[in-house]
């Protein structure tokens, strides 16, 4: 094992990860003079792609979060979690400073930070963590592309509509499908620690809240009808989900 579950090592690497994500954000701001939210969303997409790839590789080489939850953390799982915990800490701070988010998003970030930190210190259930992270971040790039297209004024294009529909369908399938499967596996496991089960349930409930928000958003759009201008707040609603 390259990594240990020492509190000093985990905290130090988490702080380094946070600093690195913040440095990437600042570099984009300095090099391209983009707006704050634009840079933050680029960083979010980069994080999502990296984590999805690392999670896929972790699950491929095992242990599998569905069939073998509660096993000892592997180095790749620890690396994946360190990448993500740094991002969530950075993004939590960014949301508070630059853009007041709905409380549910801040709860999501806090729950993710606490869950990852506990699993890193506990030394087990890394498979559940990367399984959850990979599924949660899978739809994030689509979300950011959707926002970018709207930001550039392409809301009425077929590309925007395809991206939007794909995002909504994939989000529901991943959160309700794989998410429910993972929840049952973790809660029913004798190896997964109680705090891990509690965090899993909490994050699943937060996902249900996100799904509820998506449902309301979709219903509003359907009721409004195609091609009809809506309320500015509705049009600006980017369904910020991570």
């Amino acid at each position: 094992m390259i990594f240990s579950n020492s509190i000093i090592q985990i905290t130090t690497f988490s702080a380094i990860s946070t600093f690195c994500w913040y440095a990437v954000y600042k570099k984009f701001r300095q090099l391209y003079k983009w707006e704050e939210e634009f840079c933050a969303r680029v960083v979010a997409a980069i994080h999502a792609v990296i984590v999805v790839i690392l999670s896929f590789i972790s699950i491929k080489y095992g242990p599998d979060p569905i069939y073998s939850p509660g096993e000892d953390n592997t180095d790749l799982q620890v690396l994946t979690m360190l990448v993500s915990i740094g991002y969530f800490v950075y993004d939590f701070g960014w949301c508070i400073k630059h853009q007041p988010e709905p409380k549910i998003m801040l709860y999501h970030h806090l729950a993710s930070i606490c869950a990852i930190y506990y699993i890193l210190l506990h030394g087990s259930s890394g498979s559940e963590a990367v399984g959850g992270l990979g599924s949660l971040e899978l739809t994030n790039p689509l979300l950011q592309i959707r926002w970018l297209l709207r930001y550039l004024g392409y809301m009425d294009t077929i590309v925007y509509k395809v991206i939007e529909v794909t995002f909504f369908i994939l989000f529901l399938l991943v959160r309700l499908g794989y998410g429910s499967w993972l929840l049952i596996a973790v809660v029913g496991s004798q190896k997964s620690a109680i705090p891990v089960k509690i965090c899993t349930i909490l994050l699943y409930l937060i996902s249900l809240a996100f799904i509820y928000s998506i449902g309301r958003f979709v219903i509003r759009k359907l009721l409004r009808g195609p091609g009809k201008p809506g309320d500015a707040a509705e049009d600006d609603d980017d369904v910020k989900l991570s």
Side-chain angles (χ1 to χ4, degrees):
M1 283 282 293
I2 298 175
F3 299 103
S4 73
N5 57 345
S6 160
I7 188 171
I8 296 177
Q9 186 185 87
I10 294 302
T11 304
T12 300
F13 279 127
S14 297
I16 292 172
S17 177
T18 302
F19 174 79
C20 288
W21 284 114
Y22 178 71
V24 172
Y25 166 78
K26 291 295 289 185
K27 199 65 177 178
F28 279 128
R29 287 278 291 154
Q30 293 170 0
L31 287 178
Y32 303 108
K33 311 299 180 185
W34 292 336
E35 294 180 5
E36 283 134 345
E37 185 170 6
F38 193 101
C39 291
R41 288 183 176 276
V42 171
V43 174
I46 293 172
H47 165 257
V49 171
I50 292 174
V51 167
V52 168
I53 292 173
L54 289 176
S55 297
F56 176 79
I57 298 173
S58 296
I59 293 173
K60 180 179 180 180
Y61 287 98
D64 188 284
I66 300 295
Y67 300 107
S68 303
E71 299 294 338
D72 291 342
N73 299 341
T74 66
D75 284 330
L76 187 54
Q77 290 169 353
V78 173
L79 176 62
T80 306
M81 288 186 282
L82 287 173
V83 169
S84 272
I85 194 172
Y87 170 78
F88 284 125
V89 172
Y90 139 78
D91 196 54
F92 182 80
W94 186 93
C95 289
I96 292 177
K97 181 179 180 181
H98 295 285
Q99 180 180 313
E101 292 279 8
K103 289 183 179 180
I104 190 67
M105 178 57 72
L106 298 180
Y107 294 153
H108 168 272
H109 277 33
L110 280 176
S112 298
I113 292 167
C114 292
I116 295 171
Y117 193 67
Y118 174 82
I119 291 173
L120 286 169
L121 292 179
H122 189 62
S124 63
S125 288
S127 62
E128 298 100 289
V130 298
L133 285 169
S135 60
L136 291 176
E137 295 298 329
L138 183 62
T139 54
N140 193 283
L142 288 173
L143 177 66
Q144 308 313 332
I145 294 171
R146 175 179 176 270
W147 181 90
L148 176 62
L149 290 171
R150 196 185 62 211
Y151 177 83
L152 296 174
Y154 293 108
M155 282 187 66
D156 296 325
T157 64
I158 186 64
V159 174
Y160 178 87
K161 297 183 187 305
V162 169
I163 292 292
E164 184 173 65
V165 171
T166 303
F167 165 73
F168 289 154
I169 293 175
L170 188 59
F171 188 91
L172 293 174
L173 287 175
V174 171
R175 301 279 176 131
L176 283 180
Y178 183 80
S180 299
W181 197 8
L182 183 61
L183 174 71
I184 294 171
V186 174
V187 173
S189 170
Q190 295 183 349
K191 287 189 174 182
S192 297
I194 296 298
V196 175
K197 296 182 180 184
I198 293 173
C199 287
T200 302
I201 294 171
L202 179 60
L203 286 168
Y204 185 79
L205 292 176
I206 292 174
S207 289
L208 292 182
F210 285 151
I211 290 171
Y212 172 74
S213 296
I214 283 184
R216 291 183 58 196
F217 179 80
V218 171
I219 290 172
R220 285 201 307 265
K221 294 197 72 171
L222 291 175
L223 291 177
R224 183 194 309 170
K228 295 181 181 179
D231 180 81
E234 292 184 12
D235 290 333
D236 288 341
D237 182 6
D238 57 0
V239 194
K240 292 169 185 159
L241 311 170
S242 178

